[in-house]
Amino acid sequence: MIDPGLLLSFGFSISACVGGGGWCLRRLAQARYLQDTPTSKIRSAAQGYVELYGVLHALPDSSIAGPLSGTPCLWWRFKIEELSGNGKTRSWQVVESATSEGWLRLVDGAGECLINPAGAEVRPSVRQVWDGDSRHPMGQAPGGLLAWLGGKRYRYTEERLHVGQPLYAIGDFVSAGGGRQAFDTQAAQGEVIREWKRDFDGLLQRFDSNRNGRLDELEWNHVRLAASLEAEDRHRQRSAAPEFHRLRRPAESQPFILSNQGEDELASRFHWQALGGALLCMAGALATAYLLRFV
Protein backbone atom coordinates (compact mmCIF):
# COMPACT_ATOMS: atom_id res chain seq x y z
CA MET A 1 0.00 0.00 0.00
CA ILE A 2 1.35 3.43 -1.00
CA ASP A 3 2.00 5.86 1.82
CA PRO A 4 -0.64 8.69 1.85
CA GLY A 5 2.15 11.22 2.32
CA LEU A 6 3.81 9.94 -0.85
CA LEU A 7 0.54 10.22 -2.76
CA LEU A 8 0.15 13.81 -1.56
CA SER A 9 3.70 14.61 -2.68
CA PHE A 10 2.93 13.06 -6.06
CA GLY A 11 -0.11 15.30 -6.34
CA PHE A 12 1.88 18.44 -5.60
CA SER A 13 4.72 17.56 -7.98
CA ILE A 14 2.43 16.64 -10.87
CA SER A 15 0.32 19.76 -10.31
CA ALA A 16 3.49 21.89 -10.35
CA CYS A 17 4.63 20.26 -13.57
CA VAL A 18 1.31 20.61 -15.40
CA GLY A 19 0.44 24.03 -13.99
CA GLY A 20 3.89 25.47 -14.64
CA GLY A 21 3.94 24.12 -18.19
CA GLY A 22 0.48 25.48 -18.95
CA TRP A 23 1.37 28.89 -17.52
CA CYS A 24 4.59 28.98 -19.56
CA LEU A 25 2.81 28.17 -22.83
CA ARG A 26 0.02 30.67 -22.13
CA ARG A 27 2.38 33.56 -21.41
CA LEU A 28 4.56 32.76 -24.43
CA ALA A 29 1.48 32.74 -26.68
CA GLN A 30 0.31 36.07 -25.25
CA ALA A 31 3.74 37.65 -25.75
CA ARG A 32 3.73 36.42 -29.36
CA TYR A 33 0.31 37.97 -30.02
CA LEU A 34 1.49 41.30 -28.60
CA GLN A 35 4.65 41.33 -30.72
CA ASP A 36 3.03 40.09 -33.95
CA THR A 37 -0.02 42.41 -33.93
CA PRO A 38 0.79 45.80 -35.55
CA THR A 39 -0.36 49.00 -33.88
CA SER A 40 -3.36 50.63 -35.59
CA LYS A 41 -4.93 54.07 -35.55
CA ILE A 42 -8.54 54.02 -34.43
CA ARG A 43 -9.87 55.83 -37.51
CA SER A 44 -8.21 53.45 -39.98
CA ALA A 45 -8.12 50.21 -37.97
CA ALA A 46 -9.31 47.08 -39.73
CA GLN A 47 -12.16 45.11 -38.28
CA GLY A 48 -11.07 42.24 -36.07
CA TYR A 49 -8.10 41.71 -33.77
CA VAL A 50 -6.13 44.96 -33.33
CA GLU A 51 -3.65 46.72 -31.07
CA LEU A 52 -4.27 50.35 -30.03
CA TYR A 53 -2.38 53.02 -28.10
CA GLY A 54 -4.07 56.10 -26.74
CA VAL A 55 -5.03 58.21 -23.74
CA LEU A 56 -7.97 57.60 -21.42
CA HIS A 57 -10.73 60.23 -21.42
CA ALA A 58 -13.84 60.48 -19.28
CA LEU A 59 -17.20 59.51 -20.72
CA PRO A 60 -19.80 62.31 -20.79
CA ASP A 61 -22.01 62.42 -17.68
CA SER A 62 -19.96 59.65 -16.05
CA SER A 63 -18.96 59.80 -12.40
CA ILE A 64 -16.96 56.88 -10.99
CA ALA A 65 -14.94 56.62 -7.79
CA GLY A 66 -12.96 53.85 -6.13
CA PRO A 67 -15.33 52.17 -3.65
CA LEU A 68 -12.68 51.88 -0.91
CA SER A 69 -10.76 55.15 -1.23
CA GLY A 70 -13.42 57.38 -2.78
CA THR A 71 -10.86 58.57 -5.38
CA PRO A 72 -12.42 59.68 -8.72
CA CYS A 73 -11.36 57.34 -11.54
CA LEU A 74 -12.52 55.64 -14.75
CA TRP A 75 -12.20 51.99 -13.66
CA TRP A 76 -11.50 50.19 -10.39
CA ARG A 77 -10.84 46.75 -8.92
CA PHE A 78 -10.63 46.04 -5.19
CA LYS A 79 -10.29 43.28 -2.63
CA ILE A 80 -10.66 43.23 1.14
CA GLU A 81 -8.67 40.68 3.14
CA GLU A 82 -9.13 39.71 6.77
CA LEU A 83 -6.29 38.52 8.98
CA SER A 84 -7.38 35.18 10.40
CA GLY A 85 -5.83 32.37 12.40
CA ASN A 86 -3.75 32.30 15.57
CA GLY A 87 -0.08 32.73 16.33
CA LYS A 88 2.25 31.76 13.50
CA THR A 89 -0.58 30.35 11.38
CA ARG A 90 -2.23 33.72 10.79
CA SER A 91 -2.85 34.59 7.15
CA TRP A 92 -4.82 37.01 4.98
CA GLN A 93 -8.10 35.66 3.57
CA VAL A 94 -10.06 37.49 0.86
CA VAL A 95 -13.53 38.31 2.20
CA GLU A 96 -14.76 40.65 -0.54
CA SER A 97 -13.74 41.68 -4.05
CA ALA A 98 -15.29 43.37 -7.07
CA THR A 99 -14.47 45.00 -10.41
CA SER A 100 -16.19 47.94 -12.10
CA GLU A 101 -18.13 47.26 -15.28
CA GLY A 102 -18.19 50.76 -16.80
CA TRP A 103 -16.93 51.28 -20.35
CA LEU A 104 -13.70 53.16 -21.10
CA ARG A 105 -13.06 55.85 -23.71
CA LEU A 106 -9.73 55.69 -25.56
CA VAL A 107 -8.54 58.59 -27.74
CA ASP A 108 -5.47 58.41 -29.99
CA GLY A 109 -5.56 61.70 -31.94
CA ALA A 110 -7.07 60.03 -35.02
CA GLY A 111 -10.30 58.96 -33.38
CA GLU A 112 -11.87 57.52 -30.28
CA CYS A 113 -12.99 54.05 -29.26
CA LEU A 114 -15.22 52.77 -26.47
CA ILE A 115 -13.87 49.72 -24.64
CA ASN A 116 -15.96 47.14 -22.86
CA PRO A 117 -13.52 45.83 -20.19
CA ALA A 118 -15.59 42.71 -19.41
CA GLY A 119 -13.30 39.71 -19.69
CA ALA A 120 -10.12 41.76 -20.08
CA GLU A 121 -6.83 41.27 -18.25
CA VAL A 122 -6.55 44.82 -16.86
CA ARG A 123 -3.11 45.91 -15.63
CA PRO A 124 -3.35 49.40 -14.08
CA SER A 125 -0.32 51.31 -12.84
CA VAL A 126 -2.17 52.76 -9.81
CA ARG A 127 -2.42 50.32 -6.92
CA GLN A 128 -3.05 51.29 -3.28
CA VAL A 129 -2.71 48.93 -0.32
CA TRP A 130 -3.44 49.89 3.30
CA ASP A 131 -4.67 48.39 6.57
CA GLY A 132 -7.55 49.13 8.92
CA ASP A 133 -9.67 47.73 11.72
CA SER A 134 -13.10 47.83 10.03
CA ARG A 135 -14.57 45.70 7.24
CA HIS A 136 -14.96 48.73 4.96
CA PRO A 137 -12.60 51.73 5.13
CA MET A 138 -14.06 55.21 5.44
CA GLY A 139 -12.88 58.10 3.26
CA GLN A 140 -9.55 58.30 1.51
CA ALA A 141 -6.84 55.66 1.83
CA PRO A 142 -4.65 56.58 4.79
CA GLY A 143 -0.92 56.93 4.45
CA GLY A 144 2.13 57.18 6.66
CA LEU A 145 1.61 56.79 10.43
CA LEU A 146 -2.20 56.71 10.10
CA ALA A 147 -2.00 53.44 8.19
CA TRP A 148 -0.50 51.73 11.26
CA LEU A 149 -2.82 53.04 13.97
CA GLY A 150 -5.73 50.67 13.41
CA GLY A 151 -6.08 47.12 14.55
CA LYS A 152 -4.80 45.94 11.15
CA ARG A 153 -7.34 43.16 11.05
CA TYR A 154 -8.19 44.10 7.46
CA ARG A 155 -6.09 44.85 4.40
CA TYR A 156 -7.50 46.83 1.48
CA THR A 157 -6.22 46.77 -2.09
CA GLU A 158 -7.60 49.09 -4.75
CA GLU A 159 -6.42 49.40 -8.38
CA ARG A 160 -7.59 52.19 -10.68
CA LEU A 161 -7.43 53.70 -14.15
CA HIS A 162 -7.51 57.51 -14.34
CA VAL A 163 -8.19 60.26 -16.86
CA GLY A 164 -5.11 61.21 -18.87
CA GLN A 165 -3.28 57.92 -18.39
CA PRO A 166 -1.81 56.18 -21.45
CA LEU A 167 -3.46 52.88 -22.32
CA TYR A 168 -2.32 49.94 -24.40
CA ALA A 169 -5.27 47.87 -25.62
CA ILE A 170 -5.43 44.70 -27.69
CA GLY A 171 -8.71 42.99 -28.51
CA ASP A 172 -11.55 42.65 -31.02
CA PHE A 173 -12.29 45.91 -32.87
CA VAL A 174 -15.75 46.56 -34.29
CA SER A 175 -17.04 49.67 -36.09
CA ALA A 176 -20.56 50.80 -36.96
CA GLY A 177 -22.02 53.76 -38.80
CA GLY A 178 -20.21 55.96 -41.27
CA GLY A 179 -21.20 53.73 -44.19
CA ARG A 180 -18.90 50.91 -43.00
CA GLN A 181 -21.52 48.17 -42.84
CA ALA A 182 -21.64 45.66 -45.66
CA PHE A 183 -25.20 45.00 -46.82
CA ASP A 184 -26.46 41.48 -47.47
CA THR A 185 -29.91 42.01 -49.00
CA GLN A 186 -31.16 38.47 -48.48
CA ALA A 187 -29.98 38.23 -44.85
CA ALA A 188 -31.36 41.68 -43.99
CA GLN A 189 -34.67 40.85 -45.62
CA GLY A 190 -34.89 37.59 -43.66
CA GLU A 191 -34.20 39.43 -40.41
CA VAL A 192 -37.06 41.87 -41.05
CA ILE A 193 -39.47 39.04 -41.95
CA ARG A 194 -38.58 37.12 -38.78
CA GLU A 195 -39.24 40.26 -36.78
CA TRP A 196 -42.64 40.75 -38.43
CA LYS A 197 -43.60 37.09 -37.89
CA ARG A 198 -43.43 37.60 -34.12
CA ASP A 199 -46.65 39.60 -34.56
CA PHE A 200 -48.33 37.35 -37.10
CA ASP A 201 -51.75 38.95 -36.56
CA GLY A 202 -50.25 42.30 -37.53
CA LEU A 203 -48.61 40.66 -40.56
CA LEU A 204 -51.95 39.28 -41.69
CA GLN A 205 -53.64 42.64 -41.19
CA ARG A 206 -51.06 44.30 -43.45
CA PHE A 207 -50.70 41.71 -46.24
CA ASP A 208 -53.74 39.36 -46.20
CA SER A 209 -55.56 41.25 -48.97
CA ASN A 210 -58.37 38.69 -49.45
CA ARG A 211 -58.90 38.33 -45.67
CA ASN A 212 -58.93 34.53 -45.68
CA GLY A 213 -56.72 34.26 -42.57
CA ARG A 214 -53.58 33.08 -44.38
CA LEU A 215 -50.94 34.38 -46.78
CA ASP A 216 -50.85 32.86 -50.26
CA GLU A 217 -47.85 32.95 -52.60
CA LEU A 218 -48.71 36.34 -54.10
CA GLU A 219 -49.17 37.87 -50.65
CA TRP A 220 -45.84 36.38 -49.49
CA ASN A 221 -44.20 38.04 -52.49
CA HIS A 222 -45.61 41.35 -51.22
CA VAL A 223 -44.20 40.57 -47.75
CA ARG A 224 -40.76 39.86 -49.19
CA LEU A 225 -40.77 43.04 -51.29
CA ALA A 226 -41.85 45.19 -48.33
CA ALA A 227 -39.25 43.55 -46.10
CA SER A 228 -36.53 44.20 -48.68
CA LEU A 229 -37.47 47.88 -48.86
CA GLU A 230 -37.59 48.10 -45.05
CA ALA A 231 -34.14 46.46 -44.77
CA GLU A 232 -32.64 48.90 -47.28
CA ASP A 233 -34.13 51.85 -45.39
CA ARG A 234 -32.70 50.60 -42.08
CA HIS A 235 -29.28 50.16 -43.70
CA ARG A 236 -29.35 53.74 -45.03
CA GLN A 237 -30.20 55.04 -41.56
CA ARG A 238 -27.38 53.06 -39.93
CA SER A 239 -24.90 54.16 -42.58
CA ALA A 240 -25.85 57.82 -42.07
CA ALA A 241 -25.15 57.58 -38.34
CA PRO A 242 -21.76 58.84 -37.07
CA GLU A 243 -18.95 56.30 -37.10
CA PHE A 244 -18.72 54.41 -33.81
CA HIS A 245 -15.84 52.18 -32.69
CA ARG A 246 -15.76 49.54 -29.95
CA LEU A 247 -13.14 47.19 -28.52
CA ARG A 248 -14.27 44.01 -26.80
CA ARG A 249 -13.19 40.53 -25.77
CA PRO A 250 -12.29 38.36 -28.79
CA ALA A 251 -14.51 35.38 -29.47
CA GLU A 252 -11.42 33.16 -29.88
CA SER A 253 -8.65 32.47 -27.36
CA GLN A 254 -6.65 35.58 -28.30
CA PRO A 255 -5.58 37.76 -25.34
CA PHE A 256 -7.69 40.77 -24.37
CA ILE A 257 -5.40 43.11 -22.44
CA LEU A 258 -5.77 46.68 -21.18
CA SER A 259 -2.62 48.10 -19.61
CA ASN A 260 -0.91 51.34 -18.64
CA GLN A 261 2.32 49.60 -19.66
CA GLY A 262 3.41 49.46 -23.29
CA GLU A 263 3.80 46.44 -25.55
CA ASP A 264 7.55 45.97 -25.00
CA GLU A 265 7.28 46.09 -21.22
CA LEU A 266 4.32 43.71 -21.22
CA ALA A 267 6.01 41.24 -23.59
CA SER A 268 9.17 41.28 -21.47
CA ARG A 269 7.15 40.65 -18.31
CA PHE A 270 5.28 37.76 -19.98
CA HIS A 271 8.58 36.20 -21.08
CA TRP A 272 9.90 36.32 -17.52
CA GLN A 273 6.66 34.80 -16.24
CA ALA A 274 6.92 32.09 -18.90
CA LEU A 275 10.44 31.34 -17.69
CA GLY A 276 9.13 31.04 -14.13
CA GLY A 277 6.45 28.64 -15.33
CA ALA A 278 9.05 26.57 -17.19
CA LEU A 279 11.25 26.33 -14.09
CA LEU A 280 8.24 25.28 -12.00
CA CYS A 281 7.37 22.65 -14.60
CA MET A 282 10.93 21.29 -14.55
CA ALA A 283 11.01 21.23 -10.75
CA GLY A 284 7.71 19.34 -10.70
CA ALA A 285 8.98 16.85 -13.29
CA LEU A 286 12.21 16.24 -11.34
CA ALA A 287 10.30 15.84 -8.08
CA THR A 288 7.92 13.35 -9.73
CA ALA A 289 10.82 11.34 -11.13
CA TYR A 290 12.49 11.32 -7.70
CA LEU A 291 9.29 10.19 -5.95
CA LEU A 292 8.82 7.33 -8.43
CA ARG A 293 11.89 5.69 -6.91
CA PHE A 294 9.90 5.03 -3.74
CA VAL A 295 6.92 3.39 -5.43
Side-chain angles (χ1 to χ4, degrees), residues 7-61:
L7 285 177
L8 184 61
S9 299
F10 263 122
F12 278 123
S13 62
I14 293 174
S15 297
C17 182
V18 175
W23 179 253
C24 174
L25 294 175
R26 180 171 182 267
R27 280 313 197 194
L28 285 175
Q30 289 181 323
R32 179 56 59 190
Y33 271 115
L34 268 58
Q35 294 174 323
D36 289 351
T37 305
T39 304
S40 302
K41 289 293 185 180
I42 292 174
R43 182 177 297 172
S44 57
Q47 304 298 285
Y49 196 65
V50 302
E51 173 184 280
L52 304 173
Y53 277 105
V55 177
L56 287 169
H57 285 234
L59 287 167
D61 303 321

Side-chain angles (χ1 to χ4, degrees), residues 127-149:
R127 183 175 185 268
Q128 280 186 294
V129 181
W130 71 102
D131 299 295
D133 58 2
S134 61
R135 173 68 176 262
H136 294 95
M138 300 297 293
Q140 299 293 326
L145 181 61
L146 291 178
W148 300 90
L149 294 180

Side-chain angles (χ1 to χ4, degrees), residues 59 64 74 101-105 114-117 244 246-247:
L59 287 167
I64 299 177
L74 300 178
E101 299 177 350
W103 287 49
L104 300 170
R105 179 186 174 203
L114 294 181
I115 302 175
N116 180 1
F244 176 75
R246 291 177 296 156
L247 193 74

